Structures are given as structure tokens and as C-alpha cells.
Amino acid sequence: MEVCSSTDISLREFGCEQNLLSRPDGSASFVQGDTSVLVGMYGPAEVKVSKEIYDRATLEVLIQPKVGLPSVRERSQEQCVRETCEASLLSFLHPRSSLTLILQVVHDDGSLLSCLLNAACMALMDAGLPMSCLFCGVTCAINSDGQIITDPTAAQEKECRAILTFAIDSTDHKVMMSSTQGSFSVHELQQCIAVCQNASEKIFEFYRDSVQRRYSKTL
Amino acid sequence: MLSALRDKVGQVLLPGDTFVCQPEDTLSLSASARKDTAVCGPGLRRSGDRVTVCVSGLLRHKAPNVFWIQAHGKRYVPAKGECVIGIVTAKSGDVFKVDVGASELASLSYLSFEGATKRNRPNVQVGDLVYAQFLVANKDMEPELVCIDGAGRANGMGVFGAGGLMVKVSLGLVRRLLAPGSELMADLSGLFPSEMVLGLNGRVWVKSSSLQQTLIITNLLQSCEHLSNEQRRALFLKGQTGGAVTGSRLGLPCVHNCGIFMQKITEYFVLCIGNYGSKIGVLIASFEISI
């Protein structure tokens, strides 16, 4: 897929920290530029009989916004994160258990959904849950000139006519989840997917680096 | 594939990394029959002719052909044969329900104690600590514990815990303590004369000759996980000699039950000691270790 030469596959600076909370079984914090998310992961734990699934783990995702109570927007973000996590977790290894993922938005400066996805993936890795592949979230925006901007800030998102977020998996670099708003053509969609797949390589390298750093002190 | 696995021993692998059978792994008809099998331990899954990593961690190897992923984790998943510390939470009929920190309560029959018969029941109350091993532990069935080994002897298992303190640590720390020739264990046992029970579910019970020594041992244990050998020895030396517990703020009379470690807040190790009647919350004492 030919990518337009004017596209800019530059991502903001990432930062991540694992195992920073003492109570949850897994925790992580992911920072993309100024957007920052903190995640706590509990599981596999006891599940209420009404919610248990006989052959898989029950995954619950809760997103707390920075200000106010969770609303419909958070519910739709939760659904995106939950579908992605369920696709990559080997949940059949923990039937009749519950996995709870609680994400707290610390600051939102654009590309929030992709930051939530990245933080969720790091927390799942930190908790040691079995996964078939890793996933990462990449957001790109199409501005009025038709230029594709990856990892837009909030100011850039306001000016754009379309914002697309994709979750990409680490083994085949295929799209696991997509969430889009705005209007764009089919050709632009395919270009955005290609751009995001390229950008996901950087994020997976970053995952590998940060996990290596974490285990570098193991004796 | 064995060679590919061996090359990566000691490296950090992420979920999704795969090892495939290489063309040169195929055996020739003229070569003598040899078994080139790799035993995949926790963290590695076999699907068809490939081995996939499903947990992030270090690839470890034990001669001749056992490979597994060593991961940091805090949540215990029951496995058959492992010895754990459980807390008895309920008594339903002839079976005790034991909390082992997993996703389900494990069951412990009253007949699985040494010398227990229908007339001679073991003295187990709700809230007791038991050291038991898993007889049945898989993802499909309720975990079952027993306090006897195959020959019917207790072998160290059973009810215990009067006068000590149980704390929760990460699973990796317990495995390090139980590894043969562990320096961490040697350093800890050189601190004060003490008794320790280590459960593979991340629970450690410590009892020393005085409450302060018990607290010092548990606090040092929880803080030494990420220290290097030299830093740990320096810390232990300070804890043993210079570090004196400067006394409780609230002047508690005595400790009735095992204290449960609540949280580490900078230099203060907040300890929850029992529940006192109907008071909301729990009475806490904070001990400051001056190092």
C-alpha cells in the first residue's frame, strides 16, 4: 500500500512504567506526549456466579475519566478496550475467573484511546496473564488538507475532519479493533491503516525495550 | 528448535514470540534414533509444530531439555503438587474451605490430616493457617488440598501459626527463597533465630523470639526483593545491629493473632494487628525502623 509522502509517521515521546502500584496484581502507566493513563489489573480472581462464564475468564474494563463520573463516551472506550483484550488474552486458561482492568485517565491531550490500549497491554503483561499476542493502539487524524497525522494532540484533533484509532496485533500486524469518527474515503482509510501498521512497529520495539529494562535487574 | 530455544536462554521474551521447527531439525533416516524433545514449562505453549511464548519474562533452561519463562507475578494460580499456606475460611460439612489467594477457594477434607479418622477429627478452626499441598489443581476443577503425603504422613504439613506473622510477597521472591543454595535464604536465616514457613502462593509466615525481631525480618524480606546482593547484605547488617524498633505509637498490649501486613508507606511499615470488637476499621500500629 503506497503511503502518501506527505504523511508524518512521527509519534510523540512515550514513557511507561510497570508494577508501580502495590495492591493490584498488575499495574502500568503509559504516557504519550502529555496524554497519560494509569492502569490497575486484578486477576484471575473470584467471580460472581451471575457473571461467570464456564469456559473463559470474564473480563471487566472500567475507565475513569479525569473529571466527573464515567459517561457514555467511557462506556464506548471500555468496549473497544475490552474487545481488543479479549481477542489477545488466552482466557480459556482461566475459566470461571474474573479479570478486572481499571484505567484512570490522568491527563488527556489527544490520542486517548490508543494510550488506553497501550497501557492496558502493558498492565496485562505485568500481571503475567497468558496472551497469544501483544497489541498496541495507534491514532491518526486526517486534517482538512488530506494529510495524515499520527498521534495527534488535542489541538490537532480539533482541527481534523476525521480521527481513526486502530489496535494492531504484534504477530501479523493486523487490525484488531478500529474506532473512527469523522468522514473519510475508503482510500484514506487504507492509507491510515498502513501508516498505523508502520507506527505500531515502533511501539512494539518500545514494549520490548521497557520489559527488558524491567527484567534487567533480575538475579 | 532446541537450538533456537537454547540461543534465547536468558533473554527477555514477549507474548507472541514463536519458535518454529527449522528444516535442519528433521532427522535423517540413517541417523540413530534419538529423542530430541523439549519440555515446555510455564509460559510456553505448543501449538502444532511451533512453540509460542505466552507470558513476558526471561527464558530459563534446566539441563537437559526443560525450558520455561520466569515471570514476575503476584497472583497465584494453583498447580498440582505445590505446597501453599492457606487460611481456613469456612467449614461446610466434612470439608474446610481454604483461601489460597487463587480465583477459587480450595477444599480440604477433614480426613486429609495425619491420624484423622471419622471419630478423631483434627482441631481446625476458621481463621487457622494450614500448610498443605495440592492434590487436584487444574483450570476445570475446584482445587483440592491435602495435609498428608502419599504415605499418609504429615511431613511438616498441617495447622500452624500460633504467635507468628504472615505476610504476602511476590511469587518470584518465594521461588528465589526456595531455590537450592539460595543466598537470600542464607542471609535471612543469619539475621535472628526464627522459624519460617514459605508457601508458593506468595505467603510467608515468620516467627522469631520476639515481636520486634519478627517485624524486622518481615519488613526486610519485603524490601529486599529488588536489591542486589551487596545492597541487601548492607541492609540486613543495619537491620540486625543498628536498626532498633523505636516502639509503637499506640502502646498495644499484646498481639493476639497474626498481623497482616497492610502497606508500606515510605519508611513506615503499617501493620494491622487483629480486629478489636466492633470498632470500625482496624487498630493499627506503626513501627519505625531507624536505619
Side-chain angles (χ1 to χ4, degrees), chain A residues 47 51 58-62 82 86 98-102:
Chain A
V47 66
K51 287 192 191 163
T58 312
L59 177 65
E60 233 182 76
V61 178
L62 291 162
R82 189 177 59 244
E86 279 187 351
S98 85
L99 306 170
T100 312
L101 204 60
I102 302 178

Side-chain angles (χ1 to χ4, degrees), chain B residues 150-193:
Chain B
R153 291 179 304 240
N155 215 4
M157 294 187 275
V159 180
F160 71 103
L165 175 61
M166 187 184 81
V167 292
K168 177 99 178 58
V169 293
S170 75
L171 305 180
L173 185 62
V174 178
R175 287 195 290 260
R176 272 170 65 190
L177 285 167
L178 288 172
S182 158
E183 295 181 0
L184 180 51
M185 193 60 177
D187 289 344
L188 262 179
S189 22
L191 272 179
F192 301 113

Side-chain angles (χ1 to χ4, degrees), chain A residues 64-214:
Chain A
Q64 309 282 346
K66 182 177 179 183
V67 179
L69 290 170
S71 68
V72 178
R73 175 181 301 141
E74 278 73 40
R75 293 276 171 263
S76 85
Q77 287 170 338
E78 282 169 18
Q79 186 176 29
C80 293
V81 174
R82 189 177 59 244
E83 307 274 303
T84 318
C85 293
E86 279 187 351
S88 67
L89 277 174
L90 296 173
S91 55
F92 58 84
L93 290 177
H94 297 290
R96 302 176 322 279
S97 316
S98 85
L99 306 170
T100 312
L101 204 60
I102 302 178
L103 300 107
Q104 170 69 56
V105 177
V106 175
H107 188 71
D108 178 10
D109 187 36
S111 313
L112 181 63
L113 185 53
S114 56
C115 195
L116 289 166
L117 286 165
N118 293 332
C121 185
M122 301 255 36
L124 289 174
M125 268 205 281
D126 182 48
L129 289 173
M131 298 167 78
S132 60
C133 62
L134 295 176
F135 58 88
C136 77
V138 191
T139 304
C140 62
I142 308 176
N143 68 8
S144 36
D145 302 332
Q147 244 190 341
I148 300 179
I149 307 169
T150 45
D151 202 15
T153 60
Q156 286 172 327
E157 277 186 354
K158 274 208 187 113
E159 297 165 354
C160 290
R161 64 170 155 91
I163 303 172
L164 302 92
T165 305
F166 299 105
I168 315 270
D169 85 77
S170 65
T171 42
D172 304 321
H173 294 280
K174 290 213 177 114
V175 172
M176 292 171 88
M177 186 279 301
S178 86
S179 165
T180 65
Q181 64 184 78
S183 61
F184 45 88
S185 68
V186 172
H187 179 66
E188 282 173 335
L189 170 67
Q190 288 168 336
Q191 276 189 317
C192 285
I193 292 180
V195 164
C196 289
Q197 284 172 329
N198 276 338
S200 67
E201 307 255 356
K202 287 193 191 171
I203 303 186
F204 290 130
E205 265 177 41
F206 174 70
Y207 282 179
R208 198 171 284 271
D209 272 337
S210 48
V211 177
Q212 272 172 349
R213 210 168 284 187
R214 182 166 175 230

Side-chain angles (χ1 to χ4, degrees), chain A residues 25 44 46 131 208 215 217, chain B residues 17 54 56 72 75 103 226:
Chain A
D25 302 322
E46 280 194 22
M131 298 167 78
R208 198 171 284 271
Y215 281 91
K217 253 189 132 190
Chain B
D17 292 347
C54 59
S56 70
H72 291 321
R75 194 84 197 179
S103 62
H226 296 293

